[in-house]
Amino acid sequence: MSNSRFAAVEAASKHQFNAITEVNSERAIHAYGKNVFTVSKMRDYLPKPAFKELNTAIEEGTQISRDMAEYIAQAMKTWALENGASHYTHWFQPLTGSTAEKHDAFFEPDSDGSAIEKFTADALVQQEPDASSFPNGGIRNTFEARGYTAWDPSSPAFLFETGAGKTLCIPTVFVSYTGESLDYKAPLLKAIAAVDKAATDVAQYFDKQVTKVNASLGIEQEYFLVDLALYNARPDLQLTGRTLFGHMSAKGQQLEDHYFGAIPERVLAYMVDLENEALKLGIPLKTRHNEVAPSQFECAPMYEEINLAIDHNQLLMNVMDLVAIRHNFKVLLHEKPYSGVNGSGKHNNWSLITNTGVNLLSPGKTPKNNLMFLTFFVNTIKAVYEHADLLRASIASHSNDHRLGANEAPPAIISIFLGSQLDELLEEVESARVAKKVKADANLWHGIPKIPDLKLDNTDRNRTSPFAFTGNKFEFRAVGSSANSALPMTVLNTIVAAQLIEFKIEVDKQIKKGTKKDLAILNVVRKYIKDSKAIRFEGNGYSEEWEQEAAARGLSNIKSTPKALDVYVTPESLALFEGLGIYNKRESEARHEILLENFYKKLQIEARVIGDTVTSQIAPACIVYQNELIENVKGLKELGLSKEAYSSQLNYLERISKHVNTILELAEEMRQARKKANTLEEVRERAIAYDEIVKPFFDDIRYHVNKLEKIVDDAKWPLPKLRELLFIH
């Protein structure tokens, strides 16, 4: 009972409910936005002209003058200092997948030997981190280090608070010296602007009062909690975020008793603490519950403008981890931390909202409103159909590969679920006969099927669908729990923008030829319904029949990340992104390379951890037990007992020897395969080699290690077992 595993289990068993949140009685409405430089605080701290210019920049995307930026910097500094901040930082989202920051003190020595607290417009608007030290896909050479972070006024500054103090964080984009984006935010902002322009142009067919369309997003965040002591005793969890070994616990999720069950008190204390911290940062967390797998949970915010929603989700993941430490937990955001139970996703619920307050994906009560709904609904379907491979690539990662198609997660085949009611509606619209000529407005709707007065939740749920309509929004269910949603949302908004632009061109052509506007719209909508029918699927996405049917429909089923990423550099994708100003050719190629590098490097780390753990922990522990069995057999033999009396021990010895020998041989073969893969010069070839040659060793080694876990003395096993990790003490 002296090994590190039992020490960790003992420590975990002593962790009780942390009363840190027990006395926190601050109401949510009072805590909300406490640490955010909100619009109301800007109004209090800024002169009226500066406030007006900043508010216009936030709402309309206009540029802020340097003079006004100076006023804003002083106001922001005053607010931050009054609330206890000592430092400031540009907070950005490089292509590492996490956030980055470099802190500078407000403190500055003065010429007379005293000190002042200084923060200028220059410090607010622009800073210069080392661009060569972040993933750049060859855009920057190591000796060309200059890069810039630039303030994003549309996402409010906030105070990040830890035990070490408070820091003023200013959301920014990150670009190279030569102007290429090196982050997730800059392309997202461009895609948001593109879909705003395209959707506004189409919405004006129906309502001239619409002058802006905001992409809206709600992100459901799934995660696991594990006791910190147990986490620290698992090198695979520490270094890769998932368990690379572990025989499945006898009890897992098969009793279906965890989902929406009573939240354990220790976990609830964590959730309350997390919500308090999130609310102070303006993150509108509203929902919390147990998920399907043991020790799996979910939190979800209210819907927000898409740029802010993604900033908040990136910030939330950081806060989740920091708060967890206070409760002796570790948050696991890996898509599949435990083999054999549900993985975790980050469901992205997307819609389009006009400045007049209309959700363009919400069915209305009049024929005209329903035609507007039908227009945006069908154009989104058509966009997904035309660019399904890009959507698949946008959620591709080494960790999400483990989740896609497993348990509750959707498959790698991109399809759209509408529900029987809307599916039948599209069939009706497609087949309905419409008069080619309309004499008067009174007859305008003759022959146009009226969409029924649908409730918001007019569809069932299909957990196997990657992209499902859920009443007044589309839910992109395939996004992984650890992902930055900016990438899939950049792709989604880009393809919808491109599709709406094409739609308007086709409609305008018909109008120019004399077709009435509404009839022209319906003609194109009907054509799109027919053209995109292959992407619609209402059945079970896990079935073998669907794979066969999808192939017959011409839908892709790209199961591995390296090959899924190829679509980023096809001529069609390069033209799409460049045409809308999202990525230029160099940026697209750089992102393709960065994603491939990230893929194989993560697998490289996993291979090294497997090799090290097998040779330095698992095999030695098995050999110790093996030696005890040998001594036992020797003793029984010396007593003169027949071989049958210790045949079970001999069988154990043989099985242990076989499995130990196999894992050591496989570990060495894997090491040689890894060395060979590392010699490949092309990053794509290296990624494919790791995926197809190195990665298969993982499951083979896991199989034999898991067999050993079942037969080796429990007291000798060095790693906390899944039964200990999955059930919170």
Side-chain angles (χ1 to χ4, degrees):
M1 298 286 286
S2 62
N3 70 17
S4 60
R5 171 183 156 223
F6 282 100
V9 171
E10 184 178 3
S13 67
K14 293 178 180 178
H15 291 155
Q16 300 297 324
F17 162 62
N18 187 342
I20 190 168
T21 61
E22 198 171 30
V23 295
N24 190 334
S25 58
E26 186 173 21
R27 292 174 62 186
I29 57 171
H30 297 145
Y32 185 62
K34 187 176 181 179
N35 286 342
V36 183
F37 196 50
T38 59
V39 171
S40 62
K41 288 168 188 166
M42 294 173 195
R43 185 182 291 110
D44 293 339
Y45 281 85
L46 282 167
K48 284 185 179 179
F51 172 74
K52 184 178 180 181
E53 189 167 319
L54 176 57
N55 208 35
T56 302
I58 293 170
E59 292 182 357
E60 300 178 13
T62 56
Q63 197 167 30
I64 295 172
S65 67
R66 254 329 150 99
D67 288 343
M68 287 303 175
E70 194 63 57
Y71 284 112
I72 295 164
Q74 295 313 306
M76 201 179 286
K77 180 193 76 172
T78 302
W79 170 76
L81 291 172
E82 286 178 359
N83 285 276
S86 61
H87 288 68
Y88 62 90
T89 182
H90 275 197
W91 183 81
F92 57 105
Q93 299 171 34
L95 298 172
T96 57
S98 56
T99 58
E101 53 200 58
K102 175 178 70 73
H103 297 196
D104 287 301
F106 287 113
F107 162 86
E108 216 172 276
D110 206 356
S111 56
D112 62 0
S114 61
I116 59 173
E117 288 168 325
K118 188 176 180 182
F119 182 64
T120 64
D122 288 343
L124 168 64
V125 172
Q126 181 177 310
Q127 289 190 11
E128 187 184 324
D130 184 345
S132 68
S133 297
F134 290 99
N136 58 69
I139 287 176
R140 310 298 297 138
N141 293 312
T142 302
F143 60 86
E144 296 174 319
R146 196 180 297 274
Y148 300 110
T149 50
W151 175 37
D152 171 19
S154 65
S155 187
F158 58 90
L159 296 177
F160 195 75
E161 183 177 2
T162 68
K166 294 181 180 179
T167 303
L168 172 66
C169 297
I170 303 157
T172 61
V173 298
F174 180 38
V175 298
S176 73
Y177 177 72
T178 47
E180 293 91 357
S181 62
L182 297 173
D183 69 342
Y184 285 108
K185 180 185 270 280
L188 175 69
L189 292 174
K190 294 173 184 177
I192 292 170
V195 81
D196 171 18
K197 173 70 169 59
T200 297
D201 287 348
V202 172
Q204 287 193 348
Y205 281 139
F206 309 96
D207 184 358
K208 294 294 183 182
Q209 300 300 312
V210 175
T211 56
K212 185 174 179 58
V213 174
N214 288 314
S216 172
L217 184 64
I219 302 176
E220 302 168 30
Q221 180 69 61
E222 294 176 341
Y223 62 97
F224 283 84
L225 288 175
V226 63
D227 192 277
L228 186 60
L230 296 172
Y231 169 84
N232 287 334
R234 290 282 311 215
D236 49 357
L237 275 180
Q238 287 182 301
L239 298 176
T240 73
R242 75 181 182 106
T243 52
L244 300 171
F245 316 103
H247 189 269
M248 189 55 211
S249 169
K251 182 181 185 298
Q253 65 185 55
Q254 67 267 48
L255 295 180
E256 300 174 331
D257 56 348
H258 189 67
Y259 190 55
F260 278 25
I263 301 171
E265 188 175 35
R266 186 178 165 204
V267 174
L268 186 58
Y270 163 73
M271 289 177 167
V272 171
D273 200 4
L274 171 64
E275 288 166 5
N276 287 336
E277 296 295 338
L279 287 172
K280 286 191 285 187
L281 289 163
I283 305 170
L285 282 190
K286 186 173 179 67
T287 302
R288 63 188 183 212
H289 62 82
N290 289 0
E291 256 300 332
V292 173
S295 294
Q296 187 187 30
F297 308 96
E298 180 180 295
C299 59
M302 300 287 286
Y303 291 81
E304 299 181 279
E305 183 276 323
I306 198 166
N307 178 42
L308 187 57
I310 289 170
D311 277 4
H312 278 166
N313 184 255
Q314 289 298 108
L315 183 56
L316 176 66
M317 290 191 287
N318 192 4
V319 175
M320 289 170 75
D321 200 41
L322 291 175
V323 174
I325 302 299
R326 299 206 293 243
H327 295 262
N328 291 305
F329 280 131
K330 181 67 181 177
V331 170
L332 303 179
L333 292 173
H334 193 287
E335 283 72 9
K336 199 75 172 177
Y338 305 113
S339 178
V341 298
N342 278 15
S344 295
K346 193 196 299 278
H347 303 160
N348 280 225
N349 295 277
W350 173 88
S351 58
L352 295 170
I353 313 293
T354 69
N355 63 301
T356 59
V358 175
N359 182 345
L360 294 171
L361 292 175
S362 183
K365 293 184 177 181
T366 67
K368 190 167 186 177
N369 285 343
N370 279 323
L371 183 60
M372 181 167 68
F373 157 73
L374 197 62
T375 295
F376 286 92
F377 182 63
V378 171
N379 270 280
T380 303
I381 294 169
K382 180 72 156 45
V384 173
Y385 170 72
E386 295 291 344
H387 303 284
D389 286 356
L390 265 179
L391 274 185
R392 165 67 181 98
S394 77
I395 52 91
S397 70
H398 88 289
S399 50
N400 211 20
D401 279 356
H402 291 286
R403 168 180 166 264
L404 292 178
N407 296 92
E408 97 301 345
I413 304 166
I414 298 296
S415 65
I416 297 179
F417 171 82
L418 302 180
S420 58
Q421 191 175 5
L422 287 172
D423 194 60
E424 290 170 7
L425 171 69
L426 294 193
E427 294 289 340
E428 181 185 347
V429 173
E430 181 190 347
S431 60
R433 296 179 61 188
V434 181
K436 291 183 179 180
K437 293 183 179 179
V438 181
K439 295 182 179 179
D441 285 348
N443 298 321
L444 190 61
W445 297 99
H446 176 72
I448 299 177
K450 181 181 181 300
I451 300 172
D453 183 10
L454 303 174
K455 295 179 181 178
L456 290 183
D457 295 322
N458 54 62
T459 66
D460 198 355
R461 298 289 295 274
N462 187 327
R463 299 180 67 84
T464 71
S465 175
F467 199 85
F469 188 71
T470 56
N472 60 353
K473 61 191 181 298
F474 281 99
E475 182 181 22
F476 194 8
R477 295 180 53 84
V479 183
S481 53
S482 66
N484 185 327
S485 292
L487 180 54
M489 287 300 105
T490 296
V491 169
L492 178 58
N493 284 281
T494 298
I495 65 176
V496 171
Q499 184 57 56
L500 289 170
I501 290 168
E502 179 61 28
F503 173 79
K504 189 170 189 305
I505 290 170
E506 292 197 47
V507 170
D508 287 349
K509 280 182 181 177
Q510 291 202 21
I511 293 173
K512 193 173 181 180
K513 291 179 180 178
T515 305
K516 287 284 187 178
K517 178 186 68 177
D518 287 4
L519 189 56
I521 290 170
L522 191 67
N523 286 340
V524 180
V525 164
R526 178 179 290 108
K527 175 177 177 290
Y528 285 178
I529 291 172
K530 184 177 181 180
D531 291 347
S532 61
K533 187 177 291 189
I535 203 75
R536 288 157 43 198
F537 177 63
E538 302 297 302
N540 179 8
Y542 295 153
S543 67
E544 291 183 12
E545 291 79 10
W546 168 232
E547 284 203 26
Q548 296 166 6
E549 183 181 336
R553 293 184 183 192
L555 302 181
S556 299
N557 184 10
I558 310 171
K559 295 184 178 181
S560 71
T561 288
K563 293 178 181 177
L565 295 176
D566 285 346
V567 69
Y568 278 123
V569 288
T570 62
E572 295 79 9
S573 296
L574 293 172
L576 169 71
F577 288 125
E578 196 152 20
L580 287 174
I582 312 301
Y583 304 125
N584 60 33
K585 184 172 184 287
R586 194 179 185 194
E587 288 171 324
S588 291
E589 291 172 345
R591 275 161 171 74
H592 180 236
E593 183 173 325
I594 289 165
L595 291 167
L596 287 170
E597 279 190 353
N598 183 274
F599 176 83
Y600 88 75
K601 286 177 179 177
K602 293 289 180 68
L603 290 182
Q604 187 181 70
I605 292 168
E606 290 191 356
R608 287 174 172 171
V609 172
I610 289 171
D612 291 347
T613 309
V614 161
T615 56
S616 66
Q617 287 186 269
I618 292 169
C622 295
I623 290 168
V624 168
Y625 181 54
Q626 189 179 43
N627 288 338
E628 288 185 6
L629 286 176
I630 291 170
E631 291 302 316
N632 178 261
V633 169
K634 281 182 181 178
L636 294 173
K637 190 174 182 180
E638 287 171 2
L639 287 173
L641 298 177
S642 65
K643 192 174 181 180
E644 288 74 16
Y646 48 85
S647 61
S648 293
Q649 289 91 321
L650 286 172
N651 181 43
Y652 262 45
L653 273 170
E654 186 177 348
R655 289 165 65 192
I656 291 170
S657 295
K658 177 184 174 183
H659 289 306
V660 168
N661 190 55
T662 301
I663 63 172
L664 291 174
E665 286 181 350
L666 288 173
E668 177 56 26
E669 289 176 24
M670 180 179 67
R671 189 177 73 85
Q672 295 300 328
R674 181 165 55 82
K675 286 176 65 177
K676 186 176 180 181
N678 291 340
T679 64
L680 298 172
E681 291 187 9
E682 291 293 328
V683 66
R684 182 179 181 274
E685 291 179 8
R686 198 177 305 174
I688 289 174
Y690 264 93
D691 188 46
E692 297 181 356
I693 300 171
V694 178
K695 186 179 173 183
F697 283 103
F698 296 3
D699 284 340
D700 290 344
I701 294 172
R702 178 196 284 268
Y703 170 82
H704 291 281
V705 169
N706 290 356
K707 290 292 185 183
L708 286 165
E709 183 185 320
K710 290 178 70 176
I711 58 178
V712 169
D713 182 1
D714 186 67
K716 301 286 189 298
W717 196 253
L719 304 175
K721 298 185 176 183
L722 262 58
R723 69 166 188 260
E724 294 155 348
L725 296 168
L726 280 170
F727 297 94
I728 291 172
H729 300 279

